[in-house]
Amino acid sequence: MPPKIGVYLCHCYGEIGKILDLEKLSQQAGKWRGVAASIHYPALCSADGLEIIAEDVRQGRVDRVVVGACSPAVHRDTFLRLARQAGLNEHFLERCNLREQCTRAHRDQPALAMAKARNLLKMAVGRLSPAESFEPVSSSTSRSVLVVGGGIAGLTAAENLARAGVNVTLVEKSPFLGGKVARLHRYYPRFCSPRCGLEVLMARLLATGRVTVHTLTEVTGVRGTAGNFMVELLKQPRYVKDACTGCGACLEVCPVEVAPSAALPPGRQRAIEGPGLFPYPLNYAVNRVFCRGKSCSRCVEVCPAGAIDLDQEEDRLSIGVDAIILAAGWEPYDAGRINNYGYGRLPGVITSMDLEVLARPDGPTGGQLIRPHDKKPVRRVAFIQCAGSRDKQHLAYCSSVCCAATLKQIDYVRAVAPEAGIFVFYMDIRTPGNLEELYRRTREEHGAVFIRGNPYAVEWDPGAEELVVTADDTLSGSRVAVRAELVVLATGMVPCAVPAFERLEKDTTGFITGHLPCSPMEVRRAGIYVAGCAQEPMDVSTSVKSALAAAAECLATIQNQSVVVPPVVERHKCDRCGRCVEECPYGACSFDTGGYPAVNPLACRGCGICQGGCPLRCIYLPGFSSREMAGLIEAVDTGSMDEQPCVLAFLCANDAYPALDLAGTRGTSYGANILAVRVPCAGAVNAGWINDALLSGIDGVLVVGCRTTECHYGRGTSLAESRVNNLRETLQRMLVEPERVQVLTAGIEDGQSLVAAIKRFVKQLQELGPNPFKE
Amino acid sequence: MHEDRPFREITLQDLERLDPVTIRTARSCANCGRCGGACLARIRDLSPARVLRLLQLGRLDEVLTSRFLWACIGCRRCSRCCPQELDVATAVVRLRRLAARHPRATFPEHLLRLLCS
Amino acid sequence: MPPKVNLQKCDGCRAESEALCVQICPGDLMALDENNGKAYCRSARDCWDCMSCVKACPNGAIETRLPYQLGYYPAKLIPLVGSNKISWTVVDIHGKVERFTFKNRND
């Protein structure tokens, strides 16, 4: 059955009608093939106007609708609602931009505007004739989430998801939960013990009954996409069974002392470890790196519960989940690599994480401020900020928490030694927001001396058995030396490596982050969310916030249906080359059992990068099949404006299309023969369309995307560039000027510069003359 | 010629001689430098900002023998502009009292002549 | 003359399965080089210049040199394939260009 297309033209209360002769246009359109009805009306978006279209659809007079009115970027839901109410498939409603890109842009040239309007309408009709209907695909979800990392971010995300009714699997690579936060003495801004906050969190998490915890477990593999991830887990043996009561008898007999770090002496830590002050899980764990194994077995003999089993073996398991929250956390930068500070070489040089251990009542000194190796009382403490940070030899970035952490630790020191002298070597003190108060208090109440300069060296004075820190104080322009018993290096944060996630896109600092600022939590693989210090260096309260944000974004994905209508695959044409699977920035495209690409609707974000790269044009978003695009392109009347070259411009819907709308709205005129086609991303433009355009006699083709760093979908513009460059090489060989096809970039506010670039392009085309394929 | 400037060790004992207002001013100073910009009596790099910085590093002697203390005309612009609301001018006046008693005080000679004649 | 593959442009159709030129060649002459994953013609003598591979290549990476009986280098014959049209650009040995466009269904 041939399509019955209705063409509805809107006067927009005169804004369109005063410039275009809609009566004439509507009569002309009525004669085109496939057009069953063609009318014009003062305002189609009014209730009456919408009713006219709806009535025609309901009566069966038309089954496809072209609305010639404002830009598709406005009144989106008005016409979507109309389609739904009238029972019209939403892909059978095509918007034709007669206002922003026609009457507004060419308001001074009504004749040209008329010709352009006619062309735009013909293109819309040409595209709609072969269109097919699409139904949104739904997929059921069992709703389960894997949380990688049992620190504060992971626990917070797990707790919120579990309370929302999601089944959570929590994996932690160390034997105990709590992460770095459980190792802190206190955390700012309230200076309370972190174990209190963790305890509350843990209680609420366990109360949900929806969490499975795997400690000593690492993720070894991730397959699939949002809605159906398969995750491989490797569980290391704990050597202690659940019968453990946590009595600590094993700790008493274990002969292997373990030092907490390179700078601290062994305290009560042994090769068999207890859970410390945050006992989740309660049972002890044998650290196989240090344990002497069965030749010793003293702990096995002494355990009253018989819980220790040195024969346990590693375990592999695989689970299916709908989404993953990556909260793998951070490691302190290896202070031993900063040679001139002598960490691990000079006694009394420790890192800020070491100081947290020292300050704790269960630390090796019992919370006393004495030098760990010789028990000498500490009268002066020197803090070195940016130890290895903002240094291209070490960490080029600022870890954002070390300043406030040092100020917090000065509080620790002064609490146990009120007379202690405090010296802080710094480059900049970064204490945003309320933390400024902490900085002020440290100066005023603790009398800390701040020396603006990165120390030159830390040396050991054997006579006085003291450390000497030397630096240039750039504020006073003088070289200073500070004697101290303890030097604390404020080392930065390095993201923990999780090999299974190594392929995720990272920022320049090596952290895994989403698209900032639009979708910061979801990484470039739909269904994986990043929280806490895996994302960027952050303090505890920011980690909690980021975990909540990640949980919220994750919930929206797994609870909801797909955001967009995903592309369809025409299997009979597909030759399974796998370009779409490889190029999809969200990993939404994977091979099904037959080896054909299958798109996961939960993961698809509708960028169309798959269709841009498909050599056979057998994967496409609704409205972009080769038949529809050929219909659109072949409808262009290239002879309508002889004096001007005819240009087909594929404009990215995020930035370039609204930018051109905006230019038109401001009355900036550009060549009236620029025919814009809205595409989701520059990466969605298939080279075949450009072939079609050139063969149809269109003089030049523009592909306008976002600037490479701003592309919503990551590589859209660069993919478009490489595809266009391929084509340009072929054109060159054919002795067709490659300049006829160009890729431009534009931001959403760049209407004026985009127009200028388009004008330059048109001028170039005028010099080149008409398209050689023009008959 | 390389300038042979040794590393000067920071000791804070001297500061115990200061009165509470001055010591609070010195400790609370965030080294923004605004007072130095506002000062009408600034001599080269000597300014209220510099005085406070030297105090923070415990170099009281240098402050008390500095000519700046006597150059201050008491306009109080430093106090008015301080973002931490510190009374810098009062601290300078208090420092003068100590300076007058310093064995190597640089009490301006013309004033000395005036007073002694 | 056999097809010549531009190694910069050829991506071996990502070597996921048979490349398009491999699939389409009626003489089964095209193959993927195991070392670099790029296409090549494994028996130049058997090629009869049907140009199927040139038309099928999505990257425009294949070029056919004309047989000497028809024209020496730089004579060329290059197709541009659209959805409903195909155009042939003919360049003779003097660099004279002619273009022919035919309607057909290609997708």
Side-chain angles (χ1 to χ4, degrees):
Chain A
M1 206 173 71
K4 292 183 280 182
I5 300 174
V7 177
Y8 299 87
L9 305 178
C10 177
H11 285 258
C12 196
Y13 297 113
E15 205 179 340
I16 299 173
K18 268 184 200 151
I19 292 166
L20 299 181
D21 183 351
L22 291 184
E23 176 63 37
K24 189 173 160 200
L25 209 52
S26 147
Q27 273 177 17
Q28 287 178 345
K31 293 175 196 150
W32 294 339
R33 220 171 97 187
V35 176
S38 174
I39 64 154
H40 56 100
Y41 194 77
L44 285 177
C45 59
S46 68
D48 300 351
L50 293 171
E51 189 48 36
I52 291 177
I53 304 175
E55 193 54 26
D56 278 358
V57 174
R58 281 192 218 106
Q59 295 298 328
R61 281 193 284 271
V62 302
D63 55 14
R64 286 147 206 243
V65 172
V66 172
V67 174
C70 43
S71 163
V74 295
H75 272 310
R76 210 129 116 206
D77 41 336
T78 310
F79 289 100
L80 267 182
R81 222 178 310 128
L82 161 77
R84 279 191 202 130
Q85 282 168 5
L88 181 75
N89 189 296
E90 61 188 71
H91 299 105
F92 281 167
L93 193 143
E94 177 80 11
R95 305 277 304 276
C96 179
N97 191 338
L98 292 188
R99 193 175 70 175
E100 280 80 354
Q101 292 188 5
C102 201
T103 59
R104 280 187 182 169
H106 313 295
R107 62 185 73 161
D108 302 327
Q109 303 153 298
L112 291 179
M114 190 70 182
K116 181 173 186 178
R118 191 167 162 273
N119 240 340
L120 289 174
L121 276 175
K122 269 188 81 181
M123 287 159 69
V125 171
R127 182 186 205 172
L128 206 47
S129 303
E132 294 154 26
S133 69
F134 284 94
E135 296 302 333
V137 193
S138 65
S139 93
S140 64
T141 57
S142 57
R143 298 171 67 226
S144 61
V145 170
L146 172 78
V147 176
V148 183
I152 191 123
L155 287 174
T156 305
E159 188 251 344
N160 274 271
L161 289 168
R163 277 203 293 148
V166 177
N167 295 320
V168 178
T169 306
L170 183 71
V171 301
E172 164 61 46
K173 75 174 173 195
S174 75
F176 303 101
L177 297 179
K180 291 280 181 300
V181 171
R183 283 159 54 179
L184 300 180
H185 176 44
R186 308 232 175 259
Y187 52 15
Y188 63 83
R190 291 173 188 270
F191 287 85
C192 42
S193 167
R195 281 164 293 280
C196 163
L198 284 171
E199 202 72 49
V200 174
L201 193 59
M202 201 63 208
R204 282 194 300 201
L205 175 61
L206 295 175
T208 62
R210 285 203 186 82
V211 63
T212 317
V213 176
H214 295 289
T215 50
L216 285 164
T217 303
E218 281 193 87
V219 180
T220 52
V222 179
R223 277 180 294 125
T225 49
N228 56 358
F229 283 109
M230 272 313 282
V231 185
E232 308 293 329
L233 303 178
L234 175 63
K235 199 169 175 156
Q236 297 293 346
R238 192 180 189 90
Y239 304 112
V240 180
K241 290 181 285 193
D242 286 347
C244 171
T245 60
C247 68
C250 48
L251 206 60
E252 303 296 327
V253 299
C254 180
V256 188
E257 290 189 330
V258 177
S261 84
L264 296 183
R268 275 172 287 179
Q269 213 169 319
R270 297 290 181 272
I272 186 160
E273 354 174 24
L277 297 179
F278 179 66
Y280 291 97
L282 185 70
N283 29 348
Y284 279 48
V286 175
N287 190 333
R288 213 51 213 262
V289 177
F290 302 109
C291 176
R292 291 180 191 162
K294 288 175 114 176
S295 60
C296 165
S297 289
R298 288 189 210 175
C299 51
V300 182
E301 289 154 20
V302 81
C303 179
I308 301 174
D309 173 11
L310 293 177
D311 288 324
Q312 275 186 356
E313 281 175 8
E314 62 178 37
D315 195 10
R316 284 178 190 273
L317 53 157
S318 63
I319 55 167
V321 290
D322 297 311
I324 297 173
I325 289 190
L326 186 57
W330 61 282
E331 288 292 343
Y333 182 71
D334 177 10
R337 296 177 62 179
I338 317 163
N339 281 333
N340 49 345
Y341 294 164
Y343 182 79
R345 180 162 49 84
L346 302 181
V349 179
I350 61 173
T351 63
S352 39
M353 277 312 278
D354 291 339
L355 185 60
E356 295 290 341
V357 176
L358 275 187
R360 278 167 49 172
D362 61 336
T365 61
Q368 299 270 320
L369 191 65
I370 47 177
R371 199 153 64 188
H373 69 283
D374 58 4
K375 309 282 185 262
K376 190 176 174 179
V378 173
R379 288 173 296 115
R380 292 158 152 242
V381 184
F383 289 89
I384 299 178
Q385 296 308 105
C386 297
S389 294
R390 302 170 71 198
D391 178 340
K392 287 190 174 171
Q393 307 256 311
H394 302 286
L395 300 181
Y397 52 88
C398 165
S399 284
S400 86
V401 302
C402 331
C403 284
T406 289
L407 300 176
K408 172 193 77 169
Q409 293 184 337
I410 291 172
D411 226 61
Y412 296 175
V413 172
R414 298 279 292 189
V416 289
E419 296 300 316
I422 308 287
F423 301 87
V424 183
F425 293 87
Y426 72 99
M427 282 200 264
D428 296 290
I429 294 288
R430 294 180 171 177
T431 48
N434 206 27
L435 293 173
E436 179 68 23
E437 174 60 18
L438 187 59
Y439 181 29
R440 188 199 58 77
R441 219 174 63 205
T442 311
R443 296 195 314 268
E444 274 181 37
E445 292 173 16
H446 298 320
V449 179
F450 286 82
I451 298 142
R452 201 207 166 281
N454 212 324
Y456 165 72
V458 179
E459 283 149 331
W460 177 250
D461 177 350
E465 298 204 326
E466 281 173 339
L467 293 158
V468 184
V469 187
T470 47
D472 190 18
D473 176 52
T474 58
L475 282 179
S476 63
S478 54
R479 301 216 274 184
V480 297
V482 166
R483 291 182 166 275
E485 285 82 22
L486 210 56
V487 171
V488 184
L489 307 179
T491 44
M493 292 173 152
V494 185
C496 282
V498 189
F501 295 97
E502 268 314 284
R503 284 187 60 195
L504 293 179
E505 195 175 320
K506 292 176 178 172
D507 65 10
T508 51
T509 55
F511 288 84
I512 297 169
T513 192
H515 183 286
L516 296 172
C518 299
S519 153
M521 298 310 174
E522 186 175 62
V523 302
R524 281 283 158 70
R525 180 150 169 209
I528 301 183
Y529 302 86
V530 63
C533 291
Q535 185 177 33
E536 61 184 12
M538 55 175 83
D539 60 19
V540 179
S541 53
T542 316
S543 277
V544 171
K545 280 189 249 176
S546 87
L548 294 175
E553 235 189 322
C554 173
L555 268 182
T557 297
I558 61 174
Q559 302 267 21
N560 213 336
Q561 297 308 323
S562 56
V563 190
V564 292
V565 185
V568 283
V569 181
E570 281 186 18
R571 282 167 152 238
H572 63 275
K573 279 164 76 177
C574 177
D575 86 320
R576 302 181 276 187
C577 73
R579 282 183 175 84
C580 48
V581 176
E582 189 180 314
E583 286 180 354
C584 173
Y586 298 96
C589 217
S590 55
F591 293 110
D592 66 7
T593 46
Y596 289 98
V599 182
N600 175 355
L602 287 182
C604 177
R605 294 291 175 269
C607 63
I609 281 176
C610 51
Q611 78 181 12
C614 181
L616 299 168
R617 287 191 270 170
C618 58
I619 185 168
Y620 52 83
L621 290 169
F624 291 97
S625 72
S626 57
R627 290 172 298 281
E628 285 160 292
M629 292 312 288
L632 177 145
I633 291 164
E634 283 165 12
V636 174
D637 185 354
T638 55
S640 60
M641 275 169 273
D642 276 337
E643 78 283 10
Q644 281 189 22
C646 179
V647 175
L648 194 63
F650 295 105
L651 302 182
C652 151
N654 283 320
D655 281 13
Y657 196 89
L660 197 64
D661 271 2
L662 187 70
T665 298
R666 287 192 182 144
T668 315
S669 186
Y670 42 92
N673 222 355
I674 311 294
L675 304 168
V677 179
R678 195 160 169 257
V679 291
C681 173
V685 176
N686 193 293
W689 307 347
I690 304 177
N691 289 1
D692 277 350
L694 293 173
L695 291 178
S696 299
I698 288 168
D699 298 301
V701 179
L702 278 179
V703 179
V704 192
C706 302
R707 281 184 284 265
T708 1
T709 53
E710 291 170 16
C711 174
H712 235 68
Y713 307 113
R715 297 190 300 139
T717 307
S718 42
L719 282 172
E721 269 167 3
S722 62
R723 291 168 189 161
V724 164
N725 283 339
N726 251 344
L727 180 63
R728 282 165 64 128
E729 197 271 344
T730 309
L731 291 178
Q732 184 132 36
R733 278 193 284 125
M734 300 174 70
L735 303 178
V736 174
E737 305 84 353
E739 295 81 23
R740 290 188 188 275
V741 185
Q742 286 189 15
V743 179
L744 300 176
T745 59
I748 194 160
E749 285 160 350
D750 296 345
Q752 305 301 320
S753 56
L754 176 60
V755 165
I758 289 178
K759 282 182 173 166
R760 276 197 300 278
F761 181 63
V762 169
K763 191 153 171 279
Q764 217 174 353
L765 287 180
Q766 274 166 340
E767 285 161 12
L768 294 179
N771 177 350
F773 292 108
K774 208 173 233 169
E775 283 148 22
Chain B
M1 274 278 288
H2 291 284
E3 191 186 359
D4 183 30
R5 280 198 303 162
F7 288 99
R8 190 194 292 256
E9 202 172 301
I10 299 181
T11 51
L12 302 178
Q13 278 104 355
D14 275 2
L15 298 187
E16 283 159 20
R17 290 161 57 200
L18 291 176
D19 61 290
V21 174
T22 313
I23 202 156
R24 199 188 88 86
T25 308
R27 281 178 161 191
S28 306
C29 169
N31 302 113
C32 73
R34 212 188 273 186
C35 51
C39 183
L40 295 175
R42 190 182 161 104
I43 313 169
R44 286 216 192 90
D45 63 335
L46 291 175
S47 72
R50 170 96 181 161
V51 164
L52 292 177
R53 183 62 190 157
L54 290 176
L55 286 183
Q56 286 175 341
L57 298 178
R59 286 149 65 170
L60 184 61
D61 250 21
E62 243 173 282
V63 171
L64 295 185
T65 55
S66 135
R67 284 165 62 215
F68 168 73
L69 289 185
W70 305 106
C72 167
I73 53 172
C75 68
R76 303 192 66 78
R77 282 160 65 104
C78 50
S79 293
R80 267 207 307 278
C81 74
C82 177
Q84 306 287 336
E85 299 184 335
L86 301 175
D87 193 348
V88 185
T90 302
V92 171
V93 171
R94 299 263 169 106
L95 284 167
R96 264 188 200 169
R97 280 192 209 165
L98 276 182
R101 281 179 259 140
H102 193 275
R104 282 183 287 116
T106 52
F107 196 70
E109 274 180 31
H110 60 281
L111 283 181
L112 208 58
R113 273 201 302 277
L114 210 69
L115 291 170
C116 298
S117 61
Chain C
M1 291 283 278
K4 188 176 171 299
V5 177
N6 179 337
L7 294 182
Q8 242 114 53
K9 289 177 84 181
C10 173
D11 64 353
C13 287
R14 310 290 158 99
E16 288 285 349
S17 58
E18 281 192 325
L20 288 171
C21 53
V22 179
Q23 289 175 35
I24 207 149
C25 178
D28 194 18
L29 303 175
M30 296 301 290
L32 288 182
D33 185 332
E34 276 177 21
N35 298 319
N36 59 9
K38 316 259 176 185
Y40 72 104
C41 179
R42 57 182 175 197
S43 176
R45 293 194 316 177
D46 295 330
C47 173
W48 64 67
D49 303 309
C50 73
M51 302 198 68
S52 297
C53 55
V54 183
K55 287 190 278 179
C57 178
N59 285 344
I62 310 181
E63 194 178 352
T64 327
R65 295 279 155 78
L66 293 180
Y68 70 93
Q69 295 93 332
L70 297 178
Y72 290 108
Y73 192 81
K76 281 182 245 180
L77 182 60
I78 303 170
L80 187 69
V81 185
S83 302
N84 299 320
K85 275 178 197 157
I86 183 164
S87 150
W88 292 94
T89 297
V90 188
V91 184
D92 73 7
I93 48 168
H94 307 296
K96 199 173 137 244
V97 184
E98 278 194 81
R99 296 183 209 276
F100 308 94
T101 303
F102 304 98
K103 280 203 166 153
N104 67 346
R105 250 325 266 264
N106 295 308
D107 73 328

